Amino acid sequence: MSSATEETIQQASNSPGAPVANESAPENPLQKKADELGARGNEFFKEQNYEKAIELYTEAIEVCPNERFYANRSFAHFRTEAYGYALADADQAIALKNSYTKAYYRRAAAMMALGRFKKALADLEFVAKRCPSSKDAQDKYSECKKMVNKIAFEKAIAVEHQEKTVAKMCRDLEFVSIEDDYNGPKLEDGKVTLEFMKSLLDWYKNQNKLHKNFAYKILCDMETLLTTQPSLVEITVPDEEKFTVCGDIHGQFYDLLNIFEINGLPSPTNPYLFNGDFVDRGSFSVECIFTLFGFKLLYPNHFFLSRGNHESFNMNQLYGFTGEVVSKYSQNMADMFTLVYNWLPLCHLINKKVLVMHGGLFSRDNVSLDELRKIDRNRQPPEEGLMCELLWSDPHPLNGRVPSKRGVGIQFGPDVTEAFLKHNNLDYIIRSHEVKANGYEVDHNGKCITVFSAPNYCDQMKNLGAFITLKGNDLTPKFTTYQEVPHPSVRPMAYASPLSLMA
C-alpha cells in the first residue's frame, strides 16, 4: 500500500496497511508499557517474524487492551494464514472502537481469505465511504463487488454447471491445427507417454507453454479417470518397495523438479502421492498441475493426488491460479479445472494402516473409514462437515477440540488422534496444509505427521521443504529435507486477485 494511501486512511482512523504506531502520548504507566511492547511487535513484524510479533502484541493487550494492538495482531495472524484468529482480533478491535477504519479493513481481509466475499464487501464499503480519496480503498471495494457479482452469477447457473463435464466442454471447442513452428511435447496417439513427460519437464523448465490442444486433452482424460475413483483411495505398498508422500507444492514448479531430481521420476517402482495444494500463490501453478496430471495419466495405479483446500473455486480466484490459467490459456480452461478438481479424491489409505489427507481430523468422535468412502465429493468444499475438515483442519498440542485458527475446520488434540486411530485400527495419519520450518513436523506422540514440500514458501518464509518415504513392510516414515532452488524472476502471487494483497 502506498504512503499516500496510508496517510489518507490514517486520517480516517488509522491505516489498514502497516501496523500502527502510537497515536498519542501515553496517559498512564500501563499504557506506556503496552505501547513499548506494541512498538517492539511492529519491529518484529517488519522483519517478517510474525510469531514473535503476535507474542508481543498479546503481551501489550494483556497489559492494556487497545484496538490498535488487536488490529496489529490481526494483521500478523493474517500473514501466518491464521484467518480465524485474524477475524476474531478484528472483531475485538471493532468492539473496542466501532469507528476504527483499520479494523474493518482487517476484518474484510480475513473474510476474503475465507472466501466470504459478501461479508467482506460490507466492511470494504464502510472503509471506502470513510476514505473517499483513497484509491486503494475504492479499488478494493470495486474488486470485491465484482467478485460477489461473479459468485452470484455462478450460483444462478449452478444447475447448468452440474450438467457440464470437461468432456462436453472439449467437444464444444474448435481445436486449431498444431502450428508448424511448435516444437514442444506432443501426445502420442492422444496418450501421455514417458517420453512426453520427460519432454514436458524440459519444455516447462525453459519457460515454454504446452500447446492448448494437448492441455485440453489432458484435462478431459483426467476427468474421465478421476470419476472412476472413490473418495478414499486404497494403496498397497509391497514389503520392500518405497513409497513417497509429498505435501503442498503451491505452484513452485522448480522445487517440484528438484523433488524428482532428489528422489527420482515417478514410475511403477517409484510411486508418489501428492497431498493437495498443487496450485495458487506460486506463479508456476499451470506447470505444476499439468506435470502432476500427466504423471497421473501415465501411471494411474502408482501416482496419486489428494484434493487440498486450494483446489477450489474461491481459493483459485483469490490466490492466483485462475488468473494464471486465464493469462496462459483462457477462462474456459479455468472453468474446466474447477470441474476436474471436484473429482479429486479426498484421502488415501496406505496398507490399511496409514491415512493421508490434506487437512486433518473431525469435529465429532467415531468417524469411520466407511463414512469417508461415502462422501459425495463432486462439489465445492462446504464450510462444515467431514469433507471440509479433511481439507482444512489442523492439529494442536492440547487434548480436545477447539475452533480453527483458520476460521474453517477445527483444531484437534492428541486424544482425538489416538481415538480416531484406535476406532479405525490405524497406525498414524499424514497430513499437510501448514508451513513447517523443517518441512515436516511430528506431533501427537508420533501419530500425526505434517509434511510440506514448498521450500521458502512464497519466496519469504525461509522454511525447508520435505517429503516422506516409507516401505510397505514397516511403514516407518523417513524424512528428506531440501532448500529452495532458483526460479525465473516471476514473483509469487503475480496472477493473484488484488483482494488477496489487501493486508
Side-chain angles (χ1 to χ4, degrees):
M1 183 174 297
S2 69
S3 58
T5 299
E6 290 276 359
E7 184 177 351
T8 301
I9 302 183
Q10 175 78 23
Q11 292 170 356
S13 172
N14 292 319
S15 161
V20 174
N22 299 345
E23 297 170 337
S24 59
E27 298 178 356
N28 59 60
L30 289 179
Q31 182 68 62
K32 180 178 179 181
K33 181 179 179 181
D35 285 343
E36 289 172 352
L37 290 165
R40 288 174 58 201
N42 292 349
E43 292 304 313
F44 279 104
F45 186 99
K46 291 174 186 175
E47 296 171 5
Q48 299 182 349
N49 188 340
Y50 304 122
E51 295 298 338
K52 186 63 178 178
I54 289 167
E55 179 183 320
L56 287 162
Y57 294 144
T58 301
E59 289 184 38
I61 288 167
E62 290 170 352
V63 171
C64 188
N66 183 288
E67 66 274 5
R68 289 184 289 111
F69 305 139
Y70 278 109
N72 287 353
R73 192 172 69 175
S74 174
F75 194 4
H77 280 312
F78 184 94
R79 286 293 177 86
T80 64
E81 301 184 17
Y83 303 128
Y85 289 173
L87 182 59
D89 276 349
D91 280 339
Q92 188 60 44
I94 291 168
L96 289 172
K97 186 177 180 180
N98 65 9
S99 62
Y100 195 42
T101 309
K102 174 171 171 270
Y104 287 91
Y105 192 93
R106 290 277 170 263
R107 189 166 70 178
M111 289 291 190
M112 291 296 305
L114 294 168
R116 299 170 187 171
F117 303 113
K118 196 169 184 179
K119 291 182 178 179
L121 182 62
D123 284 343
L124 288 175
E125 183 177 17
F126 176 89
V127 174
K129 286 180 178 178
R130 292 291 301 277
C131 310
S133 63
S134 168
K135 184 177 184 301
D136 180 79
Q138 303 304 320
D139 287 348
K140 294 296 192 296
Y141 173 64
S142 178
E143 285 292 326
C144 189
K145 194 170 185 178
K146 289 178 185 176
M147 187 75 76
V148 169
N149 290 338
K150 182 174 184 178
I151 291 171
F153 176 75
E154 291 287 338
K155 287 183 178 179
I157 59 172
V159 173
E160 178 186 341
H161 274 195
Q162 288 174 0
E163 295 173 354
K164 278 188 177 180
T165 67
V166 172
K168 288 180 181 178
M169 294 175 74
C170 279
R171 285 198 293 270
D172 292 339
L173 291 173
E174 292 186 9
F175 287 93
V176 300
S177 58
I178 307 297
E179 296 82 357
D180 292 338
D181 61 353
Y182 176 77
N183 60 353
K186 299 179 181 180
L187 298 174
E188 298 181 20
D189 297 324
K191 302 295 182 183
V192 172
T193 63
L194 179 57
E195 290 71 23
F196 171 84
M197 290 307 302
K198 288 180 177 179
S199 176
L200 182 65
L201 296 182
D202 287 338
W203 188 246
Y204 278 157
K205 188 175 182 178
N206 292 313
Q207 302 182 68
N208 296 306
K209 187 173 75 172
L210 179 66
H211 195 281
K212 67 178 182 179
N213 287 15
F214 304 129
Y216 283 128
K217 183 65 166 64
I218 286 172
L219 282 172
C220 184
D221 289 351
M222 274 299 296
E223 181 189 57
T224 300
L225 173 60
L226 291 176
T227 57
T228 67
Q229 301 204 315
S231 292
L232 186 158
V233 174
E234 297 206 29
I235 300 170
T236 300
V237 181
D239 282 352
E240 294 301 322
E241 289 194 13
K242 180 184 77 171
F243 188 84
T244 301
V245 181
C246 297
D248 303 40
I249 294 297
H250 274 301
Q252 297 184 198
F253 174 72
Y254 293 85
D255 294 308
L256 173 59
L257 286 181
N258 191 40
I259 293 173
F260 294 150
E261 187 72 25
I262 296 168
N263 196 53
L265 286 177
S267 73
T269 57
N270 192 28
Y272 280 83
L273 165 58
F274 281 83
N275 195 29
D277 281 13
F278 320 124
V279 300
D280 280 337
R281 299 194 184 275
S283 295
F284 304 95
S285 291
V286 164
E287 290 79 2
C288 283
I289 196 62
F290 278 121
T291 295
L292 297 176
F293 279 4
F295 277 120
K296 179 62 182 176
L297 292 172
L298 180 60
Y299 304 122
N301 299 315
H302 299 91
F303 193 85
F304 303 92
L305 300 172
S306 287
R307 190 175 190 174
N309 63 301
H310 275 265
E311 278 69 59
S312 66
F313 176 81
N314 283 354
M315 294 293 104
N316 293 167
Q317 289 284 327
L318 198 57
Y319 291 107
F321 181 63
T322 296
E324 184 180 342
V325 175
V326 171
S327 175
K328 294 178 179 178
Y329 289 101
S330 67
Q331 180 61 54
N332 196 56
M333 184 177 287
D335 294 341
M336 290 182 178
F337 272 110
T338 298
L339 295 173
V340 174
Y341 286 162
N342 284 349
W343 285 108
L344 284 166
L346 302 177
C347 49
H348 291 76
L349 181 63
I350 302 174
N351 286 8
K352 301 187 182 299
K353 286 296 183 180
V354 180
L355 187 67
V356 187
M357 76 289 283
H358 180 73
L361 296 181
F362 311 103
S363 55
R364 63 176 174 87
D365 294 331
N366 299 324
V367 173
S368 69
L369 298 182
D370 278 343
E371 288 182 81
L372 304 184
R373 291 184 178 99
K374 294 175 182 176
I375 294 174
D376 179 10
R377 69 184 188 277
N378 181 25
R379 54 178 170 157
Q380 287 302 293
E383 290 196 8
E384 59 184 10
L386 298 183
M387 180 174 172
C388 167
E389 290 159 359
L390 281 169
L391 301 182
W392 279 96
S393 291
D394 297 292
H396 75 135
L398 303 178
N399 282 342
R401 298 176 174 92
V402 297
S404 172
K405 62 186 179 182
R406 300 176 187 270
V408 185
I410 63 157
Q411 293 181 95
F412 58 96
D415 58 328
V416 175
T417 299
E418 185 65 34
F420 176 79
L421 296 176
K422 184 177 181 181
H423 184 69
N424 290 287
N425 193 26
L426 300 173
D427 290 347
Y428 61 92
I429 63 171
I430 297 175
R431 41 90 60 184
S432 302
H433 194 40
E434 288 184 285
V435 183
K436 298 297 179 183
N438 293 319
Y440 72 94
E441 189 168 271
V442 180
D443 294 305
H444 296 181
N445 304 309
K447 302 297 185 181
C448 177
I449 298 171
T450 299
V451 59
F452 191 87
S453 300
N456 194 25
Y457 179 46
C458 289
D459 284 358
Q460 68 177 29
M461 297 304 290
K462 300 179 174 59
N463 61 291
L464 296 175
F467 57 80
I468 296 171
T469 55
L470 49 84
K471 289 189 175 180
N473 55 349
D474 63 5
L475 299 177
T476 300
K478 295 181 180 179
F479 305 97
T480 300
T481 62
Y482 49 91
Q483 295 182 324
E484 77 275 15
V485 297
H487 64 73
S489 57
V490 182
R491 61 177 175 79
M493 305 283 280
Y495 300 95
S497 163
L499 294 170
S500 68
L501 308 174
M502 283 182 61

